[in-house]
Amino acid sequence: MRNARNALLPSLQYLSQNKRQLQKNIQKINQVGLLSGICLIVGTMIGSGIFISPKSVLLYSGAVGPCLLIWTACGVLSTLGALCYAELGTMITKSGGEYPYFMEAFGSIVAYLYSWTTIMVLKPSSFAIITLSFAEYTSTPFYPGCSPPLIVTKCLAAAAILIITSINCLSVKLASYVQNFFTAAKLVIILVIVGAGIVLLAQEICIIYFLFHYFYRNQLNFITEELKNPFRDLPLAIVIGIPLVTVCYVLVNVAYFTVMTTTELLLSPAVAVTFGDRVLYPASWIVPLFVVFSTFGSANGSCFTAGRLVYASGREGHMVKILSYINVKRYTPAPALIFNGVLAIFYIIPADINTLINYFSFAQWFFYGLAALALIVMRFTRKDLDRPVKIPVVLAGIMVLVSCYLVLAPIIDQPELEYLYCTIFIFSGLILYYPFVYRKVNWGRKIMRPITMHLQLLMDVAPPEKTE
């Protein structure tokens, strides 16, 4: 063991020198500007849902009127949640989404359970869900008249995860450029659908008013430390990004309801594709192509933000130390990104999209509500913190109540074992928390020390200067 350690010393000295250089140039990591921030919000909110979800909402609502009311309610909830995250993000300018807010408001245990659940399940399963959607749309044209084989879909999804993870490991700027490009691409197809819908709308009806939003409004809070000017860019990106998504969603749904009746829309396997076949033929192929672009961009945004939570948690000692290291040449949290990508591939192997979505949404709404509660708690416990954005506390209270309803309602309406499994998994993190985080047992450090050294050399990474 000693001989092996001595053999590693020259390489470790090299990494030590690069660590000092990394700490001098740590500001280079702050490469995300306002435009990239807006694209991250828009790109993750607009995934494949805008091309599929109108069918699901109409199916459960039963008619156009209630359907539009549901979208309107979603818009209100999304706005309230975004305002809460705008205050939290400008008050505590640390990366990691809800993680630093829970640390400040509730302490180490709650923050650890959040990071444990989100890192091990929520983020990688979300990544897997989006890449599976990407794979389905990519492979479907090659299997006309039938569904693509499951093995093909899963292999394509795994390949997408590898490509996206590699892009994010190579460069923060490259990942931002990819996000910007695919966000622009999805806006192009939205403009095409809207333009065609407006032409038909002018021929058939006078005017329709309705509003709705989509979720994932907290993605920018995961990369707060990488924003060039978080106090300006974070709230401004939210103010610009979410209304932009709202306008897109409203106009696209106007186009859908103009071309299809409710029955036709419900029978459509993919609403946007059916729309394209009817209105854009013979150029209808552009719709599935741009849906592929949309899902790929959304997956890139999911990977981009997930790596920052893993990194932030590792930096605080809630995950193994190597996950908080940054590549000494590329300034990316490569270990955290790779870890998230590997977990996402594992989730693709046994599960289907519906199972992952059910598991994801239950726990995610719980943490959304807890974030709003953290805002309320810190209004009383941390009055000293500067709040560039300050919302009425009653709005946060509404978000807490709504989140409680959305967590409890499905359990009461249709109790299933999956909810119990989710709860057990969340609290099972305490089994690891006590010995490795609270007690910091020596034998755990002895096991991880040589593993950390070898991984550090393999990935050419070093610990950055700790952010206070």
PDB file of all heavy atoms in Angstrom, residues 199-232:
ATOM      1  N   VAL A 199     -53.218  31.148 -39.416  1.00  0.00           N
ATOM      2  CA  VAL A 199     -53.854  31.207 -40.738  1.00  0.00           C
ATOM      3  C   VAL A 199     -55.219  30.535 -40.709  1.00  0.00           C
ATOM      4  O   VAL A 199     -56.222  31.068 -41.197  1.00  0.00           O
ATOM      5  CB  VAL A 199     -52.946  30.550 -41.800  1.00  0.00           C
ATOM      6  CG1 VAL A 199     -53.688  30.439 -43.133  1.00  0.00           C
ATOM      7  CG2 VAL A 199     -51.673  31.353 -41.978  1.00  0.00           C
ATOM      8  N   LEU A 200     -55.268  29.337 -40.108  1.00  0.00           N
ATOM      9  CA  LEU A 200     -56.538  28.609 -40.023  1.00  0.00           C
ATOM     10  C   LEU A 200     -57.501  29.282 -39.057  1.00  0.00           C
ATOM     11  O   LEU A 200     -58.714  29.289 -39.278  1.00  0.00           O
ATOM     12  CB  LEU A 200     -56.285  27.168 -39.585  1.00  0.00           C
ATOM     13  CG  LEU A 200     -55.477  26.320 -40.578  1.00  0.00           C
ATOM     14  CD1 LEU A 200     -55.140  24.973 -39.961  1.00  0.00           C
ATOM     15  CD2 LEU A 200     -56.254  26.139 -41.878  1.00  0.00           C
ATOM     16  N   LEU A 201     -56.953  29.851 -37.986  1.00  0.00           N
ATOM     17  CA  LEU A 201     -57.792  30.514 -36.991  1.00  0.00           C
ATOM     18  C   LEU A 201     -58.511  31.713 -37.593  1.00  0.00           C
ATOM     19  O   LEU A 201     -59.686  31.966 -37.323  1.00  0.00           O
ATOM     20  CB  LEU A 201     -56.932  30.955 -35.802  1.00  0.00           C
ATOM     21  CG  LEU A 201     -57.658  31.618 -34.632  1.00  0.00           C
ATOM     22  CD1 LEU A 201     -58.603  30.640 -33.958  1.00  0.00           C
ATOM     23  CD2 LEU A 201     -56.635  32.137 -33.618  1.00  0.00           C
ATOM     24  N   ALA A 202     -57.816  32.447 -38.452  1.00  0.00           N
ATOM     25  CA  ALA A 202     -58.418  33.623 -39.085  1.00  0.00           C
ATOM     26  C   ALA A 202     -59.566  33.231 -40.007  1.00  0.00           C
ATOM     27  O   ALA A 202     -60.478  34.017 -40.255  1.00  0.00           O
ATOM     28  CB  ALA A 202     -57.351  34.371 -39.876  1.00  0.00           C
ATOM     29  N   GLN A 203     -59.520  31.986 -40.467  1.00  0.00           N
ATOM     30  CA  GLN A 203     -60.568  31.527 -41.377  1.00  0.00           C
ATOM     31  C   GLN A 203     -61.780  30.985 -40.630  1.00  0.00           C
ATOM     32  O   GLN A 203     -62.878  30.950 -41.188  1.00  0.00           O
ATOM     33  CB  GLN A 203     -60.011  30.427 -42.293  1.00  0.00           C
ATOM     34  CG  GLN A 203     -58.875  30.895 -43.176  1.00  0.00           C
ATOM     35  CD  GLN A 203     -58.215  29.745 -43.923  1.00  0.00           C
ATOM     36  OE1 GLN A 203     -58.556  28.582 -43.696  1.00  0.00           O
ATOM     37  NE2 GLN A 203     -57.290  30.065 -44.816  1.00  0.00           N
ATOM     38  N   GLU A 204     -61.628  30.534 -39.370  1.00  0.00           N
ATOM     39  CA  GLU A 204     -62.687  29.774 -38.719  1.00  0.00           C
ATOM     40  C   GLU A 204     -63.287  30.450 -37.493  1.00  0.00           C
ATOM     41  O   GLU A 204     -64.480  30.369 -37.270  1.00  0.00           O
ATOM     42  CB  GLU A 204     -62.159  28.388 -38.326  1.00  0.00           C
ATOM     43  CG  GLU A 204     -61.736  27.553 -39.530  1.00  0.00           C
ATOM     44  CD  GLU A 204     -61.263  26.178 -39.124  1.00  0.00           C
ATOM     45  OE1 GLU A 204     -61.473  25.800 -37.952  1.00  0.00           O
ATOM     46  OE2 GLU A 204     -60.698  25.465 -39.969  1.00  0.00           O
ATOM     47  N   ILE A 205     -62.486  31.100 -36.657  1.00  0.00           N
ATOM     48  CA  ILE A 205     -63.004  31.659 -35.413  1.00  0.00           C
ATOM     49  C   ILE A 205     -62.483  33.054 -35.195  1.00  0.00           C
ATOM     50  O   ILE A 205     -61.541  33.489 -35.861  1.00  0.00           O
ATOM     51  CB  ILE A 205     -62.650  30.752 -34.200  1.00  0.00           C
ATOM     52  CG1 ILE A 205     -61.149  30.637 -34.063  1.00  0.00           C
ATOM     53  CG2 ILE A 205     -63.262  29.392 -34.340  1.00  0.00           C
ATOM     54  CD1 ILE A 205     -60.721  29.873 -32.842  1.00  0.00           C
ATOM     55  N   CYS A 206     -63.042  33.734 -34.230  1.00  0.00           N
ATOM     56  CA  CYS A 206     -62.658  35.114 -33.975  1.00  0.00           C
ATOM     57  C   CYS A 206     -61.473  35.212 -33.018  1.00  0.00           C
ATOM     58  O   CYS A 206     -60.431  35.732 -33.372  1.00  0.00           O
ATOM     59  CB  CYS A 206     -63.848  35.891 -33.412  1.00  0.00           C
ATOM     60  SG  CYS A 206     -65.215  36.039 -34.570  1.00  0.00           S
ATOM     61  N   ILE A 207     -61.633  34.720 -31.768  1.00  0.00           N
ATOM     62  CA  ILE A 207     -60.552  34.885 -30.789  1.00  0.00           C
ATOM     63  C   ILE A 207     -60.740  33.921 -29.632  1.00  0.00           C
ATOM     64  O   ILE A 207     -61.867  33.584 -29.287  1.00  0.00           O
ATOM     65  CB  ILE A 207     -60.498  36.341 -30.249  1.00  0.00           C
ATOM     66  CG1 ILE A 207     -59.228  36.564 -29.450  1.00  0.00           C
ATOM     67  CG2 ILE A 207     -61.733  36.670 -29.427  1.00  0.00           C
ATOM     68  CD1 ILE A 207     -58.952  38.034 -29.171  1.00  0.00           C
ATOM     69  N   ILE A 208     -59.674  33.459 -29.074  1.00  0.00           N
ATOM     70  CA  ILE A 208     -59.694  32.564 -27.917  1.00  0.00           C
ATOM     71  C   ILE A 208     -58.668  33.078 -26.916  1.00  0.00           C
ATOM     72  O   ILE A 208     -57.548  33.413 -27.285  1.00  0.00           O
ATOM     73  CB  ILE A 208     -59.333  31.114 -28.308  1.00  0.00           C
ATOM     74  CG1 ILE A 208     -60.376  30.563 -29.276  1.00  0.00           C
ATOM     75  CG2 ILE A 208     -59.238  30.226 -27.083  1.00  0.00           C
ATOM     76  CD1 ILE A 208     -60.041  29.166 -29.763  1.00  0.00           C
ATOM     77  N   TYR A 209     -59.076  33.159 -25.656  1.00  0.00           N
ATOM     78  CA  TYR A 209     -58.167  33.572 -24.599  1.00  0.00           C
ATOM     79  C   TYR A 209     -58.005  32.441 -23.584  1.00  0.00           C
ATOM     80  O   TYR A 209     -59.003  31.908 -23.103  1.00  0.00           O
ATOM     81  CB  TYR A 209     -58.722  34.792 -23.847  1.00  0.00           C
ATOM     82  CG  TYR A 209     -58.791  36.047 -24.685  1.00  0.00           C
ATOM     83  CD1 TYR A 209     -60.009  36.461 -25.233  1.00  0.00           C
ATOM     84  CD2 TYR A 209     -57.657  36.804 -24.923  1.00  0.00           C
ATOM     85  CE1 TYR A 209     -60.091  37.603 -25.995  1.00  0.00           C
ATOM     86  CE2 TYR A 209     -57.733  37.953 -25.693  1.00  0.00           C
ATOM     87  CZ  TYR A 209     -58.941  38.347 -26.222  1.00  0.00           C
ATOM     88  OH  TYR A 209     -59.018  39.477 -26.973  1.00  0.00           O
ATOM     89  N   PHE A 210     -56.762  32.060 -23.315  1.00  0.00           N
ATOM     90  CA  PHE A 210     -56.498  31.191 -22.170  1.00  0.00           C
ATOM     91  C   PHE A 210     -55.007  31.211 -21.850  1.00  0.00           C
ATOM     92  O   PHE A 210     -54.184  31.573 -22.675  1.00  0.00           O
ATOM     93  CB  PHE A 210     -56.981  29.748 -22.404  1.00  0.00           C
ATOM     94  CG  PHE A 210     -56.468  29.099 -23.636  1.00  0.00           C
ATOM     95  CD1 PHE A 210     -55.217  28.509 -23.673  1.00  0.00           C
ATOM     96  CD2 PHE A 210     -57.259  29.071 -24.766  1.00  0.00           C
ATOM     97  CE1 PHE A 210     -54.763  27.881 -24.817  1.00  0.00           C
ATOM     98  CE2 PHE A 210     -56.803  28.447 -25.909  1.00  0.00           C
ATOM     99  CZ  PHE A 210     -55.551  27.849 -25.940  1.00  0.00           C
ATOM    100  N   LEU A 211     -54.699  30.828 -20.640  1.00  0.00           N
ATOM    101  CA  LEU A 211     -53.325  30.866 -20.142  1.00  0.00           C
ATOM    102  C   LEU A 211     -52.967  29.555 -19.483  1.00  0.00           C
ATOM    103  O   LEU A 211     -53.809  28.890 -18.909  1.00  0.00           O
ATOM    104  CB  LEU A 211     -53.164  32.004 -19.112  1.00  0.00           C
ATOM    105  CG  LEU A 211     -53.333  33.430 -19.622  1.00  0.00           C
ATOM    106  CD1 LEU A 211     -53.321  34.379 -18.449  1.00  0.00           C
ATOM    107  CD2 LEU A 211     -52.245  33.784 -20.611  1.00  0.00           C
ATOM    108  N   PHE A 212     -51.712  29.199 -19.568  1.00  0.00           N
ATOM    109  CA  PHE A 212     -51.207  28.089 -18.778  1.00  0.00           C
ATOM    110  C   PHE A 212     -49.687  28.118 -18.768  1.00  0.00           C
ATOM    111  O   PHE A 212     -49.059  28.799 -19.557  1.00  0.00           O
ATOM    112  CB  PHE A 212     -51.699  26.739 -19.309  1.00  0.00           C
ATOM    113  CG  PHE A 212     -51.188  26.413 -20.673  1.00  0.00           C
ATOM    114  CD1 PHE A 212     -50.002  25.728 -20.843  1.00  0.00           C
ATOM    115  CD2 PHE A 212     -51.905  26.801 -21.782  1.00  0.00           C
ATOM    116  CE1 PHE A 212     -49.539  25.423 -22.099  1.00  0.00           C
ATOM    117  CE2 PHE A 212     -51.439  26.504 -23.042  1.00  0.00           C
ATOM    118  CZ  PHE A 212     -50.263  25.808 -23.208  1.00  0.00           C
ATOM    119  N   HIS A 213     -49.105  27.344 -17.859  1.00  0.00           N
ATOM    120  CA  HIS A 213     -47.656  27.249 -17.720  1.00  0.00           C
ATOM    121  C   HIS A 213     -47.235  25.799 -17.663  1.00  0.00           C
ATOM    122  O   HIS A 213     -48.065  24.899 -17.577  1.00  0.00           O
ATOM    123  CB  HIS A 213     -47.204  27.915 -16.416  1.00  0.00           C
ATOM    124  CG  HIS A 213     -47.094  29.409 -16.517  1.00  0.00           C
ATOM    125  ND1 HIS A 213     -46.063  30.033 -17.145  1.00  0.00           N
ATOM    126  CD2 HIS A 213     -47.903  30.385 -16.043  1.00  0.00           C
ATOM    127  CE1 HIS A 213     -46.226  31.349 -17.049  1.00  0.00           C
ATOM    128  NE2 HIS A 213     -47.338  31.570 -16.377  1.00  0.00           N
ATOM    129  N   TYR A 214     -45.964  25.623 -17.656  1.00  0.00           N
ATOM    130  CA  TYR A 214     -45.390  24.297 -17.422  1.00  0.00           C
ATOM    131  C   TYR A 214     -44.462  24.425 -16.226  1.00  0.00           C
ATOM    132  O   TYR A 214     -44.257  25.509 -15.711  1.00  0.00           O
ATOM    133  CB  TYR A 214     -44.640  23.825 -18.676  1.00  0.00           C
ATOM    134  CG  TYR A 214     -44.502  22.334 -18.796  1.00  0.00           C
ATOM    135  CD1 TYR A 214     -45.625  21.518 -18.792  1.00  0.00           C
ATOM    136  CD2 TYR A 214     -43.263  21.749 -18.923  1.00  0.00           C
ATOM    137  CE1 TYR A 214     -45.503  20.159 -18.916  1.00  0.00           C
ATOM    138  CE2 TYR A 214     -43.121  20.379 -19.044  1.00  0.00           C
ATOM    139  CZ  TYR A 214     -44.252  19.599 -19.037  1.00  0.00           C
ATOM    140  OH  TYR A 214     -44.116  18.253 -19.152  1.00  0.00           O
ATOM    141  N   PHE A 215     -43.896  23.322 -15.786  1.00  0.00           N
ATOM    142  CA  PHE A 215     -43.081  23.380 -14.580  1.00  0.00           C
ATOM    143  C   PHE A 215     -41.585  23.378 -14.897  1.00  0.00           C
ATOM    144  O   PHE A 215     -41.182  23.734 -15.983  1.00  0.00           O
ATOM    145  CB  PHE A 215     -43.473  22.244 -13.635  1.00  0.00           C
ATOM    146  CG  PHE A 215     -44.857  22.455 -13.070  1.00  0.00           C
ATOM    147  CD1 PHE A 215     -45.953  21.841 -13.648  1.00  0.00           C
ATOM    148  CD2 PHE A 215     -45.052  23.308 -12.020  1.00  0.00           C
ATOM    149  CE1 PHE A 215     -47.227  22.055 -13.148  1.00  0.00           C
ATOM    150  CE2 PHE A 215     -46.317  23.524 -11.505  1.00  0.00           C
ATOM    151  CZ  PHE A 215     -47.407  22.895 -12.088  1.00  0.00           C
ATOM    152  N   TYR A 216     -40.739  23.004 -13.943  1.00  0.00           N
ATOM    153  CA  TYR A 216     -39.275  23.109 -14.024  1.00  0.00           C
ATOM    154  C   TYR A 216     -38.829  24.563 -14.009  1.00  0.00           C
ATOM    155  O   TYR A 216     -37.880  24.938 -14.692  1.00  0.00           O
ATOM    156  CB  TYR A 216     -38.725  22.409 -15.281  1.00  0.00           C
ATOM    157  CG  TYR A 216     -38.863  20.921 -15.253  1.00  0.00           C
ATOM    158  CD1 TYR A 216     -39.904  20.304 -15.957  1.00  0.00           C
ATOM    159  CD2 TYR A 216     -37.991  20.135 -14.538  1.00  0.00           C
ATOM    160  CE1 TYR A 216     -40.053  18.929 -15.935  1.00  0.00           C
ATOM    161  CE2 TYR A 216     -38.119  18.755 -14.514  1.00  0.00           C
ATOM    162  CZ  TYR A 216     -39.160  18.168 -15.213  1.00  0.00           C
ATOM    163  OH  TYR A 216     -39.296  16.819 -15.193  1.00  0.00           O
ATOM    164  N   ARG A 217     -39.495  25.375 -13.213  1.00  0.00           N
ATOM    165  CA  ARG A 217     -39.132  26.788 -13.180  1.00  0.00           C
ATOM    166  C   ARG A 217     -37.941  27.052 -12.273  1.00  0.00           C
ATOM    167  O   ARG A 217     -37.434  28.169 -12.207  1.00  0.00           O
ATOM    168  CB  ARG A 217     -40.325  27.622 -12.706  1.00  0.00           C
ATOM    169  CG  ARG A 217     -40.706  27.455 -11.220  1.00  0.00           C
ATOM    170  CD  ARG A 217     -41.711  26.368 -10.990  1.00  0.00           C
ATOM    171  NE  ARG A 217     -41.993  26.151  -9.579  1.00  0.00           N
ATOM    172  CZ  ARG A 217     -42.940  25.334  -9.162  1.00  0.00           C
ATOM    173  NH1 ARG A 217     -43.680  24.690 -10.037  1.00  0.00           N
ATOM    174  NH2 ARG A 217     -43.162  25.145  -7.893  1.00  0.00           N
ATOM    175  N   ASN A 218     -37.440  26.046 -11.532  1.00  0.00           N
ATOM    176  CA  ASN A 218     -36.360  26.259 -10.575  1.00  0.00           C
ATOM    177  C   ASN A 218     -34.998  25.860 -11.106  1.00  0.00           C
ATOM    178  O   ASN A 218     -34.028  25.802 -10.347  1.00  0.00           O
ATOM    179  CB  ASN A 218     -36.637  25.462  -9.287  1.00  0.00           C
ATOM    180  CG  ASN A 218     -36.629  23.954  -9.527  1.00  0.00           C
ATOM    181  OD1 ASN A 218     -36.941  23.498 -10.616  1.00  0.00           O
ATOM    182  ND2 ASN A 218     -36.276  23.197  -8.509  1.00  0.00           N
ATOM    183  N   GLN A 219     -34.877  25.561 -12.408  1.00  0.00           N
ATOM    184  CA  GLN A 219     -33.631  25.019 -12.931  1.00  0.00           C
ATOM    185  C   GLN A 219     -32.458  25.981 -12.802  1.00  0.00           C
ATOM    186  O   GLN A 219     -31.323  25.567 -12.587  1.00  0.00           O
ATOM    187  CB  GLN A 219     -33.817  24.623 -14.397  1.00  0.00           C
ATOM    188  CG  GLN A 219     -34.821  23.511 -14.606  1.00  0.00           C
ATOM    189  CD  GLN A 219     -34.467  22.251 -13.848  1.00  0.00           C
ATOM    190  OE1 GLN A 219     -33.515  21.559 -14.166  1.00  0.00           O
ATOM    191  NE2 GLN A 219     -35.223  21.950 -12.809  1.00  0.00           N
ATOM    192  N   LEU A 220     -32.706  27.284 -12.929  1.00  0.00           N
ATOM    193  CA  LEU A 220     -31.622  28.252 -12.857  1.00  0.00           C
ATOM    194  C   LEU A 220     -31.040  28.328 -11.449  1.00  0.00           C
ATOM    195  O   LEU A 220     -29.876  28.710 -11.279  1.00  0.00           O
ATOM    196  CB  LEU A 220     -32.127  29.632 -13.305  1.00  0.00           C
ATOM    197  CG  LEU A 220     -31.081  30.585 -13.888  1.00  0.00           C
ATOM    198  CD1 LEU A 220     -30.357  29.957 -15.062  1.00  0.00           C
ATOM    199  CD2 LEU A 220     -31.727  31.893 -14.302  1.00  0.00           C
ATOM    200  N   ASN A 221     -31.826  27.980 -10.425  1.00  0.00           N
ATOM    201  CA  ASN A 221     -31.329  27.998  -9.050  1.00  0.00           C
ATOM    202  C   ASN A 221     -30.276  26.934  -8.799  1.00  0.00           C
ATOM    203  O   ASN A 221     -29.546  27.005  -7.816  1.00  0.00           O
ATOM    204  CB  ASN A 221     -32.486  27.817  -8.062  1.00  0.00           C
ATOM    205  CG  ASN A 221     -33.471  28.957  -8.113  1.00  0.00           C
ATOM    206  OD1 ASN A 221     -34.181  29.133  -9.090  1.00  0.00           O
ATOM    207  ND2 ASN A 221     -33.513  29.765  -7.059  1.00  0.00           N
ATOM    208  N   PHE A 222     -30.180  25.939  -9.680  1.00  0.00           N
ATOM    209  CA  PHE A 222     -29.157  24.910  -9.521  1.00  0.00           C
ATOM    210  C   PHE A 222     -27.775  25.402  -9.927  1.00  0.00           C
ATOM    211  O   PHE A 222     -26.767  24.797  -9.564  1.00  0.00           O
ATOM    212  CB  PHE A 222     -29.513  23.668 -10.355  1.00  0.00           C
ATOM    213  CG  PHE A 222     -30.563  22.811  -9.724  1.00  0.00           C
ATOM    214  CD1 PHE A 222     -31.906  23.008 -10.009  1.00  0.00           C
ATOM    215  CD2 PHE A 222     -30.232  21.816  -8.836  1.00  0.00           C
ATOM    216  CE1 PHE A 222     -32.890  22.223  -9.431  1.00  0.00           C
ATOM    217  CE2 PHE A 222     -31.203  21.025  -8.246  1.00  0.00           C
ATOM    218  CZ  PHE A 222     -32.537  21.232  -8.540  1.00  0.00           C
ATOM    219  N   ILE A 223     -27.695  26.494 -10.697  1.00  0.00           N
ATOM    220  CA  ILE A 223     -26.397  26.972 -11.192  1.00  0.00           C
ATOM    221  C   ILE A 223     -26.160  28.427 -10.806  1.00  0.00           C
ATOM    222  O   ILE A 223     -25.488  29.166 -11.524  1.00  0.00           O
ATOM    223  CB  ILE A 223     -26.303  26.801 -12.717  1.00  0.00           C
ATOM    224  CG1 ILE A 223     -27.385  27.629 -13.436  1.00  0.00           C
ATOM    225  CG2 ILE A 223     -26.403  25.345 -13.123  1.00  0.00           C
ATOM    226  CD1 ILE A 223     -27.104  27.838 -14.890  1.00  0.00           C
ATOM    227  N   THR A 224     -26.676  28.861  -9.669  1.00  0.00           N
ATOM    228  CA  THR A 224     -26.586  30.266  -9.258  1.00  0.00           C
ATOM    229  C   THR A 224     -25.152  30.769  -9.251  1.00  0.00           C
ATOM    230  O   THR A 224     -24.870  31.897  -9.680  1.00  0.00           O
ATOM    231  CB  THR A 224     -27.208  30.447  -7.861  1.00  0.00           C
ATOM    232  OG1 THR A 224     -28.539  29.922  -7.875  1.00  0.00           O
ATOM    233  CG2 THR A 224     -27.253  31.914  -7.473  1.00  0.00           C
ATOM    234  N   GLU A 225     -24.213  29.956  -8.764  1.00  0.00           N
ATOM    235  CA  GLU A 225     -22.817  30.386  -8.666  1.00  0.00           C
ATOM    236  C   GLU A 225     -22.167  30.571 -10.028  1.00  0.00           C
ATOM    237  O   GLU A 225     -21.135  31.230 -10.137  1.00  0.00           O
ATOM    238  CB  GLU A 225     -22.018  29.365  -7.856  1.00  0.00           C
ATOM    239  CG  GLU A 225     -22.418  29.302  -6.394  1.00  0.00           C
ATOM    240  CD  GLU A 225     -21.751  28.150  -5.666  1.00  0.00           C
ATOM    241  OE1 GLU A 225     -20.659  27.741  -6.083  1.00  0.00           O
ATOM    242  OE2 GLU A 225     -22.331  27.653  -4.681  1.00  0.00           O
ATOM    243  N   GLU A 226     -22.736  30.007 -11.083  1.00  0.00           N
ATOM    244  CA  GLU A 226     -22.155  30.111 -12.415  1.00  0.00           C
ATOM    245  C   GLU A 226     -22.766  31.244 -13.236  1.00  0.00           C
ATOM    246  O   GLU A 226     -22.373  31.449 -14.381  1.00  0.00           O
ATOM    247  CB  GLU A 226     -22.281  28.778 -13.149  1.00  0.00           C
ATOM    248  CG  GLU A 226     -21.439  27.690 -12.520  1.00  0.00           C
ATOM    249  CD  GLU A 226     -21.715  26.314 -13.097  1.00  0.00           C
ATOM    250  OE1 GLU A 226     -21.233  26.033 -14.204  1.00  0.00           O
ATOM    251  OE2 GLU A 226     -22.407  25.525 -12.444  1.00  0.00           O
ATOM    252  N   LEU A 227     -23.722  31.938 -12.663  1.00  0.00           N
ATOM    253  CA  LEU A 227     -24.287  33.103 -13.334  1.00  0.00           C
ATOM    254  C   LEU A 227     -23.320  34.277 -13.228  1.00  0.00           C
ATOM    255  O   LEU A 227     -22.709  34.502 -12.183  1.00  0.00           O
ATOM    256  CB  LEU A 227     -25.629  33.487 -12.710  1.00  0.00           C
ATOM    257  CG  LEU A 227     -26.776  32.481 -12.882  1.00  0.00           C
ATOM    258  CD1 LEU A 227     -27.993  32.950 -12.098  1.00  0.00           C
ATOM    259  CD2 LEU A 227     -27.131  32.301 -14.343  1.00  0.00           C
ATOM    260  N   LYS A 228     -23.168  35.015 -14.314  1.00  0.00           N
ATOM    261  CA  LYS A 228     -22.253  36.154 -14.307  1.00  0.00           C
ATOM    262  C   LYS A 228     -22.711  37.223 -13.319  1.00  0.00           C
ATOM    263  O   LYS A 228     -21.908  37.852 -12.652  1.00  0.00           O
ATOM    264  CB  LYS A 228     -22.152  36.740 -15.715  1.00  0.00           C
ATOM    265  CG  LYS A 228     -21.454  35.818 -16.711  1.00  0.00           C
ATOM    266  CD  LYS A 228     -21.387  36.433 -18.094  1.00  0.00           C
ATOM    267  CE  LYS A 228     -20.668  35.494 -19.067  1.00  0.00           C
ATOM    268  NZ  LYS A 228     -20.626  36.044 -20.437  1.00  0.00           N
ATOM    269  N   ASN A 229     -24.023  37.445 -13.246  1.00  0.00           N
ATOM    270  CA  ASN A 229     -24.574  38.435 -12.325  1.00  0.00           C
ATOM    271  C   ASN A 229     -25.877  37.877 -11.758  1.00  0.00           C
ATOM    272  O   ASN A 229     -26.963  38.192 -12.245  1.00  0.00           O
ATOM    273  CB  ASN A 229     -24.833  39.761 -13.055  1.00  0.00           C
ATOM    274  CG  ASN A 229     -25.261  40.868 -12.109  1.00  0.00           C
ATOM    275  OD1 ASN A 229     -25.530  40.625 -10.931  1.00  0.00           O
ATOM    276  ND2 ASN A 229     -25.334  42.082 -12.614  1.00  0.00           N
ATOM    277  N   PRO A 230     -25.791  37.023 -10.708  1.00  0.00           N
ATOM    278  CA  PRO A 230     -26.993  36.333 -10.223  1.00  0.00           C
ATOM    279  C   PRO A 230     -28.076  37.263  -9.702  1.00  0.00           C
ATOM    280  O   PRO A 230     -29.260  36.973  -9.848  1.00  0.00           O
ATOM    281  CB  PRO A 230     -26.448  35.430  -9.104  1.00  0.00           C
ATOM    282  CG  PRO A 230     -25.164  36.050  -8.681  1.00  0.00           C
ATOM    283  CD  PRO A 230     -24.597  36.673  -9.923  1.00  0.00           C
ATOM    284  N   PHE A 231     -27.695  38.397  -9.105  1.00  0.00           N
ATOM    285  CA  PHE A 231     -28.699  39.303  -8.543  1.00  0.00           C
ATOM    286  C   PHE A 231     -29.556  39.939  -9.632  1.00  0.00           C
ATOM    287  O   PHE A 231     -30.715  40.257  -9.405  1.00  0.00           O
ATOM    288  CB  PHE A 231     -28.014  40.398  -7.713  1.00  0.00           C
ATOM    289  CG  PHE A 231     -27.241  39.868  -6.546  1.00  0.00           C
ATOM    290  CD1 PHE A 231     -25.855  39.826  -6.565  1.00  0.00           C
ATOM    291  CD2 PHE A 231     -27.893  39.376  -5.428  1.00  0.00           C
ATOM    292  CE1 PHE A 231     -25.140  39.328  -5.497  1.00  0.00           C
ATOM    293  CE2 PHE A 231     -27.191  38.873  -4.348  1.00  0.00           C
ATOM    294  CZ  PHE A 231     -25.802  38.845  -4.389  1.00  0.00           C
ATOM    295  N   ARG A 232     -28.979  40.115 -10.819  1.00  0.00           N
ATOM    296  CA  ARG A 232     -29.740  40.664 -11.938  1.00  0.00           C
ATOM    297  C   ARG A 232     -30.295  39.568 -12.837  1.00  0.00           C
ATOM    298  O   ARG A 232     -31.473  39.567 -13.203  1.00  0.00           O
ATOM    299  CB  ARG A 232     -28.850  41.603 -12.774  1.00  0.00           C
ATOM    300  CG  ARG A 232     -29.544  42.188 -14.011  1.00  0.00           C
ATOM    301  CD  ARG A 232     -28.579  43.034 -14.811  1.00  0.00           C
ATOM    302  NE  ARG A 232     -27.578  42.217 -15.472  1.00  0.00           N
ATOM    303  CZ  ARG A 232     -27.650  41.811 -16.747  1.00  0.00           C
ATOM    304  NH1 ARG A 232     -28.695  42.148 -17.481  1.00  0.00           N
ATOM    305  NH2 ARG A 232     -26.705  41.089 -17.273  1.00  0.00           N
TER     306      ARG A 232
END
